[in-house]
Amino acid sequence: MMNKIILSLVFLFLMGDIYCQQNVFDTDIPLAPAEYRRPDGYDPVSYRYRYSLSDLKDKFSKEMMRNAKGVYDKVMRVNCSGKWKPTRMSIDQHVAPEWFEDSKFGMFIDWGLWSVSGWAEKTKGAMYPDWYEFHLYNHSSFMKYHEKNWGKGFERDDLIPLFRAENYQPEKIIDIAVEAGMKYVIPFSKHHSGFCLWPSSFTHRDVGNMLGKDLIAPIVDCCKKNGLKFGFYFSTDEWEYPVIDQDGMLKIRKWGGHYEPYNPIQEGRTSGKIAVTDFAKDYIIPQAVEFIDKYDPDILWYDGEWNAPVELLGSYDISAYFYNQAETRKEVAVNDRYGLENGKRLRSRRGDFFTSEYGDMSDDNRIRHAWEECRGISQSYGFNWQDTDENIISSKEFIDMFVDIVSKGGNLLLIVNLDAQGALPEIQEKRLKDIGRWLKINGEGIYYTRAYSTPVEENIHYTRSKDNKTIYAISTEWPGRKLQLVSVKPAKHSEIYMLGVERPLKWNHKNGITTITIPKSLQEVSNRPCDFAYTFRIHQ
């Protein structure tokens, strides 16, 4: 009898253990390739940051806040004497520079600690691997995935020592950007965890202190050598930040600006962050200004602002300083992600250009203001080892999307996702080269253009020259023997060309329709100037 009881208990124990394992190691949760999971024998404890938040406060907070005050006072002096003021009325007077609207195409380099894990739960819409560090503590699928691939006790900041950038080749990245026809580059300099890709004086949570590197300076140098504009992506809010209360005790400022008591669990999530008394004045504003002074960007691209009032993020102060330091020297641009005002987001309300993310902005906002679409070649914001041909858009889809954006007056800021060690995935490189080949033929109808009165007519997308004398009709499908246009009437005796074809095409205008005859020779695929989307130059 006793043996039966023991056997029953053992059976129940084993079944319970199997049940727990099934809960943790759900069959829907994949096992990552070896390079994207915890290395064999890797003990993260050996590599953890040497200072606790309390140590950092005691050793560095006073000096950092003293230095921050010097920077903040400089910002106040510059903004007081300068043309641009840290007010909504002043900032609303600034407009997107002409070069920004001329550029049309930029590279958004989504790269950071999340690239080490390189995973997000599969969805039909956009996926966000760059939120992995946050979700591994509070999202069921991410938590299961993390335990399966990285093990219990592996904290967010245990990814830092594995982010070594060993295959980072900024020269190659910029060469690819140039080959693709891109005109500006914006790396993720500081995402929401606060980890900086440059050596910052206002944190130890950066590549300088933790890796002995500067990953931004070489990109800046390469952009300058190649005539590309450079942008500063900067999250004005962070998931957690240590602050010092009135009693000199540590508290944790959480996303959006609310506070919680210090908890030791934060040590593995906020390594290297130096506590301050005022999040904006002692940290955000000085850190942003430090970057602006050091790297002299052309674009300031805010993010992470959607839950915090603008006054708690210092974004007006930073923008006014950015404008003033560039005034009379060069033209610069700031996006629309300022924060909340009267409880409402300022996206599509304030900024030199508005930002759309995977098509989430209304057509009304596209029509009335300079704007930019940011999205990836795949569904992923951030490197995702699951990306394959199945969720990477084809070269034709890519070009059709780009043409649609430009015809509606926008720029495309295309996300590229470097892997943990800084390499660009081959499949993304291929797509970039495909659009570069297309732009060499059709770029005249893209760069320096503006939206036409009728942006789209079935599968025809229109752009126009800035002097409004030339219209470009871009057909996303091969038109066959004839191309018929309703929305444009050529000037009398005008010559119409298909870009990439030397001879003008025959045409006539009758009953409100312009009919362009496509030569028989071009019906052969091998004789066409490009593989996708064909551009016709029309003078009116």
Side-chain angles (χ1 to χ4, degrees):
M1 182 68 178
M2 183 62 68
N3 287 338
K4 286 184 178 180
I5 293 173
I6 292 172
L7 287 172
S8 297
L9 290 172
V10 169
F11 175 78
L12 290 172
F13 174 80
L14 291 173
M15 289 302 294
D17 185 58
I18 291 169
Y19 174 78
C20 290
Q21 288 184 37
Q22 286 177 338
N23 274 344
V24 174
F25 303 135
D26 194 300
T27 55
D28 291 335
I29 300 299
L31 180 67
E35 60 268 38
Y36 306 119
R37 61 177 189 261
R38 186 171 179 163
D40 291 340
Y42 183 80
D43 178 12
V45 176
S46 305
Y47 298 92
R48 287 178 178 165
Y49 192 62
R50 65 187 184 277
Y51 294 125
S52 68
L53 292 180
S54 180
D55 291 337
L56 287 166
K57 177 177 76 72
D58 294 341
K59 291 176 180 291
F60 303 107
S61 287
K62 285 184 180 180
E63 180 183 2
M64 177 174 144
M65 288 190 288
R66 184 167 57 248
N67 293 338
K69 184 178 186 305
V71 176
Y72 184 77
D73 288 347
K74 179 181 74 169
V75 170
M76 296 299 103
R77 289 194 303 271
V78 169
N79 290 346
C80 182
S81 61
K83 174 181 177 180
W84 303 100
K85 308 301 179 186
T87 64
R88 60 183 181 180
M89 291 182 63
S90 179
I91 287 169
D92 282 347
Q93 298 304 307
H94 201 277
V95 297
E98 189 173 16
W99 66 255
F100 178 84
E101 295 196 75
D102 290 344
S103 296
K104 302 305 179 189
F105 195 22
M107 176 184 280
F108 211 11
I109 304 176
D110 193 332
W111 187 38
L113 301 181
W114 57 89
S115 305
V116 177
S117 52
W119 184 85
E121 184 179 25
K122 286 186 176 181
T123 64
K124 291 182 179 180
M127 296 188 288
Y128 289 84
D130 57 14
W131 274 72
Y132 183 91
E133 301 153 83
F134 183 80
H135 288 323
L136 69 87
Y137 294 112
N138 54 37
H139 188 293
S140 175
S141 296
F142 283 80
M143 293 167 73
K144 290 177 182 179
Y145 176 89
H146 188 71
E147 185 168 340
K148 182 173 184 176
N149 287 281
W150 295 91
K152 290 184 177 180
F154 197 99
E155 300 288 347
R156 172 193 299 167
D157 292 353
D158 292 332
L159 296 169
I160 294 174
L162 298 172
F163 182 75
R164 296 187 290 267
E166 292 172 339
N167 299 322
Y168 179 52
Q169 297 178 284
E171 297 86 357
K172 180 181 178 181
I173 293 168
I174 299 304
D175 285 346
I176 291 171
V178 171
E179 186 176 353
M182 292 164 157
K183 303 300 182 183
Y184 56 103
V185 174
I186 306 176
F188 273 37
S189 300
K190 190 195 79 167
H191 197 243
H192 312 322
S193 81
F195 186 78
C196 299
L197 298 192
W198 82 96
S200 172
S201 303
F202 296 98
T203 188
H204 287 182
R205 190 182 180 82
D206 62 11
V207 293
N209 282 283
M210 295 184 165
L211 302 176
K213 297 182 178 182
D214 184 340
L215 301 177
I216 295 299
I219 282 279
V220 174
D221 291 342
C222 291
C223 285
K224 288 180 179 178
K225 289 176 184 176
N226 287 277
L228 303 185
K229 302 292 186 180
F230 170 75
F232 176 31
Y233 170 96
F234 183 70
S235 180
T236 52
D237 209 347
E238 296 184 12
W239 292 319
E240 304 94 2
Y241 197 88
V243 295
I244 305 169
D245 67 14
Q246 292 180 343
D247 298 322
M249 304 299 291
L250 278 177
K251 284 189 176 180
I252 301 297
R253 181 194 183 279
K254 302 299 288 289
W255 184 264
H258 66 277
Y259 295 85
E260 294 181 358
Y262 165 79
N263 188 318
I265 65 171
Q266 292 298 335
E267 296 291 346
R269 308 177 188 185
T270 56
S271 301
K273 295 190 177 187
I274 302 170
V276 296
T277 56
D278 190 302
F279 178 71
K281 292 181 180 180
D282 294 335
Y283 175 55
I284 290 294
I285 295 171
Q287 188 177 62
V289 167
E290 172 192 56
F291 187 102
I292 291 166
D293 288 348
K294 186 172 184 178
Y295 300 108
D296 195 24
D298 304 289
I299 299 169
L300 176 52
W301 216 99
Y302 290 128
D303 198 18
E305 83 308 337
W306 53 87
N307 279 342
V310 66
E311 59 269 17
L312 297 184
L313 301 177
S315 50
Y316 284 175
D317 297 288
I318 299 167
S319 292
Y321 179 84
F322 184 51
Y323 291 150
N324 284 320
Q325 62 84 36
E327 186 69 15
T328 73
R329 189 171 59 86
K330 66 176 185 176
E331 293 184 309
V332 296
V334 180
N335 73 345
D336 59 348
R337 302 188 178 196
Y338 275 93
L340 302 178
E341 193 170 73
N342 298 322
K344 295 182 179 180
R345 292 186 186 182
L346 290 175
R347 292 192 191 186
S348 297
R349 296 173 59 205
R350 178 149 302 123
D352 300 329
F353 61 95
F354 296 163
T355 56
S356 174
E357 192 166 311
Y358 280 85
D360 66 355
M361 190 170 72
S362 72
D363 285 340
D364 287 344
N365 287 328
R366 289 184 173 96
I367 291 169
R368 68 185 178 88
H369 201 78
W371 69 281
E372 177 184 72
E373 178 71 37
C374 58
R375 63 147 295 154
I377 298 171
S378 75
Q379 299 164 259
S380 299
Y381 250 83
F383 175 73
N384 190 341
W385 63 261
Q386 302 172 107
D387 281 345
T388 66
D389 277 321
E390 293 181 1
N391 74 316
I392 297 283
I393 60 175
S394 69
S395 295
K396 178 181 175 4
E397 290 170 326
F398 188 137
I399 290 167
D400 289 355
M401 171 189 70
F402 183 37
V403 167
D404 181 64
I405 290 166
V406 173
S407 71
K408 295 172 181 174
N411 289 10
L412 172 60
L413 181 60
L414 187 75
I415 300 165
V416 299
N417 302 317
L418 306 188
D419 69 16
Q421 303 314 323
L424 179 65
E426 185 177 344
I427 194 169
Q428 296 193 24
E429 183 177 338
K430 182 181 182 299
R431 292 293 186 271
L432 292 172
K433 290 181 176 179
D434 283 348
I435 198 169
R437 282 189 289 271
W438 184 85
L439 280 166
K440 286 179 180 177
I441 300 295
N442 298 277
E444 180 186 333
I446 298 294
Y447 303 119
Y448 305 101
T449 63
R450 298 294 184 268
Y452 184 53
S453 55
T454 302
V456 183
E457 176 187 304
E458 296 185 351
N459 64 339
I460 308 298
H461 295 257
Y462 292 102
T463 63
R464 63 174 177 85
S465 60
K466 287 188 284 187
D467 62 10
N468 213 25
K469 293 181 179 179
T470 305
I471 306 300
Y472 298 94
I474 307 174
S475 176
T476 56
E477 303 295 335
W478 178 249
R481 298 303 301 269
K482 292 182 180 180
L483 178 67
Q484 292 190 320
L485 308 175
V486 175
S487 301
V488 60
K489 181 179 180 180
K492 193 175 182 180
H493 306 305
S494 174
E495 291 186 335
I496 295 178
Y497 285 86
M498 179 189 294
L499 297 186
V501 176
E502 292 184 359
R503 294 184 178 182
L505 307 179
K506 294 179 180 180
W507 66 274
N508 67 74
H509 184 81
K510 186 177 181 180
N511 298 326
I513 297 176
T514 298
T515 301
I516 303 170
T517 301
I518 312 299
K520 183 178 180 180
S521 61
L522 293 179
Q523 303 309 317
E524 292 289 335
V525 173
S526 60
N527 292 333
R528 296 172 191 171
C530 57
D531 296 328
F532 324 102
Y534 308 91
T535 306
F536 298 82
R537 181 202 301 132
I538 305 164
H539 295 295
Q540 68 168 9

